[in-house]
Amino acid sequence: MSTAKQPDPRDRPARLTVGVVGAGRVGPALAASLQLAGHRPVAVSGVSDASRRRAEQMLPDVPLVPPSEVMGRAELVLLTVPDDTLPGLVEGLAETGAVRPGQLLVHTSGRYGTRVLDPALRAGALPLALHPAMTFTGTPVDVQRLAGCSFGVTAPEELRLAAEALVIEMGGEPEWIAEEMRPLYHAALALGANHLVTLVAQSMELLRRAGVEAPDRMLGPLLGAALDNALRSGDAALTGPVARGDAGTVAAHVSELRRHSPAAVAGYLAMARATADRALAHGLLKPELAEDLLGVLADGTEGDAR
């Protein structure tokens, strides 16, 4: 075995200096991933104690400085702030002269394309929208999860190759999203991922009330199989009492939820109606059974109104 000293990645000449404005869960992970690809994080900004701790954990030895200093030090700047904050941040950076010509400015919002960066574009920046389709924990495991992660990419045509190259360097898979399709793209991801967390949390809570000691262990194999089937087969994977038209079972569910978890009733009814519509459209739910089922769901809605 060779005993030669291995070079420290920080000693390699980096292709780009990287800055992060907004040390939430996403920015430090992307910067750490770019560091593994040979780029060099040089500055990060964070306001809350949590964000500062996260930056120190994910990007040790990278100085914490105000956003204007991040802009002054970095050739590639990641703007990783909440969606509603992004337009004002971009306008403020442009108005104060913090944006430099030729600077790569990357935001990670799923909602926006590159138009939100127009104030910086007028100042000479090169705008990119790179949204990782992934949930983040704010810990080093996020860097590993970027491997194979899809990124929603929007950029001017002349920067398309650069945008895709950055995604690939982070281990991701670029997926081109047209500017006008960004809100729909983001809504689809929120529907599937964010709402899934709510549904799973509600399911675990109800199982605990039913006396199940380890709801996570019970749900893991079931939900894993359901997700795999859905990704493989789409609506053909629909199962359960709604898809079968078991109106009596659905009525019993609504009754029990009203007794034990009234807050879950509205979500159950909404998802049951959506499931019934899809099952009907794909021939899984027989029309003669759908009438009673939809009647139960309508009665459940009237019960909410009362």
Side-chain angles (χ1 to χ4, degrees), residues 20-22 45 66-68 71 77-96 98-99 105-107 116-117 119-120:
V20 180
V21 175
S45 70
S68 59
M71 298 294 293
V77 178
L78 302 172
L79 302 180
T80 52
V81 297
D83 289 359
D84 288 350
T85 304
L86 182 60
L89 171 66
V90 176
E91 289 179 5
L93 292 173
E95 288 174 358
T96 59
V99 179
L105 208 56
V106 178
H107 79 70
V116 72
L117 299 175

Side-chain angles (χ1 to χ4, degrees), residues 51 75 83 145 218 261 264 306:
S51 65
E75 298 162 311
D83 289 359
R145 288 180 174 174
M218 176 176 283
S261 183
R306 291 195 296 270

Side-chain angles (χ1 to χ4, degrees), residues 15-43:
R15 285 166 292 166
L16 290 171
T17 51
V18 178
V20 180
V21 175
R25 297 182 179 185
V26 178
L30 298 189
S33 183
L34 287 169
Q35 185 174 36
L36 291 175
H39 301 286
R40 183 164 60 93
V42 293

Side-chain angles (χ1 to χ4, degrees), residues 66-253:
S68 59
E69 289 191 36
V70 174
M71 298 294 293
R73 298 185 187 192
E75 298 162 311
L76 165 63
V77 178
L78 302 172
L79 302 180
T80 52
V81 297
D83 289 359
D84 288 350
T85 304
L86 182 60
L89 171 66
V90 176
E91 289 179 5
L93 292 173
E95 288 174 358
T96 59
V99 179
R100 293 181 287 119
Q103 191 170 44
L104 281 166
L105 208 56
V106 178
H107 79 70
T108 59
S109 166
R111 170 184 170 187
Y112 292 109
T114 56
R115 287 191 194 127
V116 72
L117 299 175
D118 278 354
L121 174 64
R122 290 191 289 271
L126 306 177
L128 305 176
L130 307 179
H131 174 252
M134 177 57 63
T135 59
F136 288 79
T137 64
T139 66
V141 71
D142 294 333
V143 179
Q144 302 170 22
R145 288 180 174 174
L146 287 174
C149 167
S150 291
F151 279 67
V153 177
T154 304
E157 188 61 34
E158 62 271 20
L159 294 176
R160 179 167 179 162
L161 290 179
E164 292 178 344
L166 284 172
V167 170
I168 291 170
E169 285 187 324
M170 288 185 281
E173 296 285 343
E175 184 72 38
W176 192 256
I177 308 295
E179 177 82 26
E180 64 275 13
M181 290 291 106
R182 293 287 292 204
L184 179 61
Y185 152 80
H186 196 227
L189 294 180
L191 185 67
N194 302 153
H195 295 176
L196 176 64
V197 174
T198 301
L199 291 172
V200 172
Q202 285 184 332
S203 182
M204 289 199 295
E205 182 179 85
L206 293 170
L207 286 171
R208 290 190 190 96
R209 293 185 185 182
V212 176
E213 293 184 358
D216 54 340
R217 190 164 65 239
M218 176 176 283
L219 285 174
L222 173 64
L223 298 185
L227 177 60
D228 183 63
N229 290 342
L231 292 175
R232 291 174 182 269
S233 305
D235 288 304
L238 284 171
T239 62
V242 173
R244 292 193 299 267
D246 290 342
T249 298
V250 172
H253 288 177

